[in-house]
Amino acid sequence: MIRIVTTETPYKVGETVKLSGWVHKQRYLSKVTFLLLRDRGGIIQCILEKEWLNFRVENESIVEIIGDVVESKKQKLGVEIHVRNIRVINKCQKAIPFEINQSELKAGMDHLLNYRTLSLRHEKNQAIFKIQSVLSQSFGDFFTSHGFTRIFTPKIVSQGAEGGANVFSLNYFGKNAHLAQSPQFYKQMMVASGFERVFEIGQVFRAEAHHSSRHLNEYVSLDVEIGFIDDVKEIMEWETDVLKYMISRVNDQCKRELEILDVKLPLITEIPGLTLYEAQEILSSQYQKASPEGDLDSEGERLIGEYVREKYNSEFVFITNYPCETRPMYTMPSNDSGLTESYDLLYKGLEITSGGLRIHDYEMLLQSFSGKGLNPNDFASYIEMFKYGVPPHGGFAIGLERLTANMTGVGNIRGATAFPRDLERLIP
């Protein structure tokens, strides 16, 4: 007999089926025992009577059940299982450090992460990562359908893409190497190679000593680079369209997960925009909040998120026109204004994206590197390609964990990361 999962049982009424999973909860009465079985599809009630009435096993043990599928209007699935046979496959041998079968996990974040395999069994955590899976898949599907090629770039590199010190260094057969901060250089190289439109879904690494609820030292970046782009607004339109598509796919495919989390996704029609100067003026006049020069801090982003929600009824806002001093050396300047053709995207007051046009002119790129105090010779393999005809191009990168955390209402980005890597955590 082939095993099925709980979500298939409503289509098997009157049939005898085999289910396997974890014992979620048990309740014993004088003439019947109720056992809730949990698998990747959800939870189903199983009825044990007669010779199985006194069946006992520790919660979270793995069991196999053979039983009849019977209609039951009292059950969420509309069916329950009347057990013919039950077999213990693997007994839970140790007390669970927190109650998995409660509606909420009542433990601190560190404790939940120390026992991550167990905390991931909770249906709310599983809902978060099923939504994250659909976000990633739909991102790739959208760009594939628009003629983009998926690429896979090195994560061991000779130089960081941002040109700064926030890189993890390692010994690479006697040579100094780093973990990649971004696939930025390689995205541009692939555009210059003639692929024109590329995307990547992969890990990036930042050696930043943060102790915040919004930072990780390893995260998944959803990266896009597009050739023959002349206007940063076109890049923002691409991002708006992909976010619309991703949200629609989550709504279509994750109805149960959204219900479990009690989440309603935002409706995107058009994403409003503010220049950085306008955002800083709003913070100063409306909230008496000073901003760092050429940027917004986390509190400023949060307040701008509140302002945009109230004024424009939008969870998203583009912040544009960042100065050259606060943008990477490959960012296209806006004429002689001292500003750049770049943007950040805030979602619920949290930056989830940086994007913009890139410099494609060789001489301009050399000047930009030198202006940042960087030696162009250290980046020769990247800069060299600009001698050979590189089209105007630009792109963006979305932080998957930040997007997931905000979308699912997780207060800490670690809750949207299966196995986080931060300042303290290297295991599990």
Side-chain angles (χ1 to χ4, degrees):
M1 186 177 292
I2 297 174
R3 175 194 178 228
I4 67 169
V5 295
T6 53
T7 48
E8 298 175 87
T9 55
Y11 309 102
K12 303 287 185 178
V13 173
E15 298 182 31
T16 301
V17 299
K18 178 168 75 174
L19 298 163
S20 300
W22 288 262
V23 175
H24 185 68
K25 189 182 290 187
Q26 299 165 89
R27 184 160 61 97
Y28 312 108
L29 302 179
S30 59
K31 294 184 178 180
V32 65
T33 292
F34 297 96
L35 183 150
L36 298 183
L37 183 76
R38 188 183 71 245
D39 62 18
R40 71 177 188 272
I43 298 171
I44 191 167
Q45 177 171 277
C46 303
I47 308 298
L48 289 80
E49 300 176 291
K50 299 177 181 178
E51 69 267 33
W52 301 110
L53 180 62
N54 296 317
F55 177 83
R56 301 289 187 273
V57 69
E58 289 75 9
N59 287 346
E60 297 305 307
S61 295
I62 306 290
V63 298
E64 175 191 274
I65 288 175
I66 295 175
D68 301 325
V69 182
V70 177
E71 284 191 78
S72 175
K73 293 182 180 179
K74 294 181 180 179
Q75 300 303 311
K76 196 168 186 179
L77 280 171
V79 296
E80 61 187 14
I81 304 298
H82 288 201
V83 175
R84 288 176 175 264
N85 188 69
I86 185 167
R87 177 173 70 92
V88 178
I89 297 175
N90 201 349
K91 180 182 175 183
C92 181
Q93 300 181 20
K94 193 174 181 180
I96 303 297
F98 37 75
E99 294 291 334
I100 294 172
N101 58 19
Q102 302 298 311
S103 60
E104 300 287 342
L105 283 172
K106 297 178 181 178
M109 180 61 72
D110 280 342
H111 194 54
L112 295 176
L113 293 177
N114 288 339
Y115 295 92
R116 195 53 166 154
T117 305
L118 297 179
S119 64
L120 286 173
R121 292 182 183 182
H122 193 271
E123 67 173 3
K124 286 195 173 181
N125 279 335
Q126 295 216 342
I128 291 167
F129 290 101
K130 287 177 180 178
I131 288 172
Q132 188 174 83
S133 176
V134 173
L135 287 171
S136 174
Q137 180 69 41
S138 58
F139 176 86
D141 289 347
F142 175 86
F143 285 109
T144 299
S145 70
H146 285 83
F148 285 68
T149 300
R150 183 171 185 173
I151 60 173
F152 304 89
T153 63
K155 303 308 168 200
I156 300 176
V157 298
S158 65
Q159 292 288 344
E162 307 298 338
N166 297 324
V167 292
F168 290 106
S169 298
L170 65 147
N171 185 315
Y172 188 71
F173 302 107
K175 299 177 182 178
N176 190 35
H178 310 283
L179 296 180
Q181 291 175 303
S182 162
Q184 183 59 44
F185 289 173
Y186 294 99
K187 289 193 301 178
Q188 292 180 260
M189 289 177 181
M190 295 297 277
V191 169
S193 296
F195 288 91
E196 296 188 17
R197 296 178 169 187
V198 298
F199 74 93
E200 179 171 25
I201 302 171
Q203 266 78 4
V204 295
F205 305 86
R206 302 290 174 106
E208 299 170 341
H210 291 295
H211 263 304
S212 78
S213 62
R214 53 188 273 157
H215 288 95
L216 294 169
N217 295 109
E218 176 186 355
Y219 65 92
V220 176
S221 186
L222 308 177
D223 271 271
V224 177
E225 203 72 20
I226 314 166
F228 298 98
I229 292 283
D230 297 311
D231 189 338
V232 69
K233 291 181 181 178
E234 190 176 344
I235 302 171
M236 293 156 67
E237 288 170 2
W238 275 106
E239 181 160 17
T240 301
D241 288 344
V242 73
L243 286 170
K244 287 180 182 178
Y245 182 75
M246 293 163 74
I247 289 170
S248 71
R249 283 277 294 271
V250 172
N251 273 324
D252 288 343
Q253 298 183 20
C254 300
K255 290 182 174 62
R256 176 176 174 269
E257 287 74 23
L258 293 171
E259 183 181 350
I260 288 171
L261 296 169
D262 192 23
V263 167
K264 185 177 181 180
L265 300 188
L267 175 65
I268 298 179
T269 52
E270 182 179 352
I271 297 178
L274 298 169
T275 67
L276 176 64
Y277 176 78
E278 289 171 337
Q280 291 178 330
E281 285 294 298
I282 290 167
L283 290 171
S284 177
S285 62
Q286 301 281 337
Y287 302 98
Q288 292 72 55
K289 167 80 173 72
S291 299
E293 188 172 350
D295 208 350
L296 300 176
D297 57 21
S298 57
E299 177 68 6
E301 289 179 356
R302 185 185 66 79
L303 292 172
I304 287 296
E306 291 180 2
Y307 174 85
V308 170
R309 187 182 307 114
E310 293 173 5
K311 184 173 178 62
Y312 298 104
N313 191 30
S314 174
E315 299 284 3
F316 295 87
V317 59
F318 286 116
I319 307 296
T320 63
N321 298 100
Y322 284 83
C324 294
E325 291 77 13
T326 59
R327 295 278 110 166
M329 61 287 189
Y330 50 77
T331 309
M332 179 66 78
S334 300
N335 301 318
D336 297 323
S337 64
L339 304 177
T340 60
E341 296 293 315
S342 67
Y343 71 88
D344 283 352
L345 177 63
L346 309 186
Y347 174 29
K348 293 183 179 178
L350 178 68
E351 178 203 325
I352 62 166
T353 295
S354 285
L357 292 181
R358 324 302 189 189
I359 296 172
H360 61 274
D361 178 80
Y362 175 74
E363 296 297 336
M364 184 186 294
L365 192 62
L366 284 180
Q367 292 175 12
S368 181
F369 270 80
S370 298
K372 293 282 187 180
L374 299 169
N375 184 353
N377 293 330
D378 293 337
F379 301 85
S381 66
Y382 165 72
I383 295 175
E384 180 73 9
M385 74 172 180
F386 291 88
K387 295 179 179 179
Y388 302 104
V390 175
H393 61 284
F396 60 87
I398 302 173
L400 178 61
E401 290 86 352
R402 284 192 178 185
L403 175 62
T404 307
N406 269 10
M407 189 170 285
T408 58
V410 177
N412 189 318
I413 194 171
R414 290 157 188 78
T417 311
F419 300 99
R421 293 294 175 260
D422 57 25
L423 189 59
E424 308 291 342
R425 186 167 294 279
L426 196 57
I427 55 174

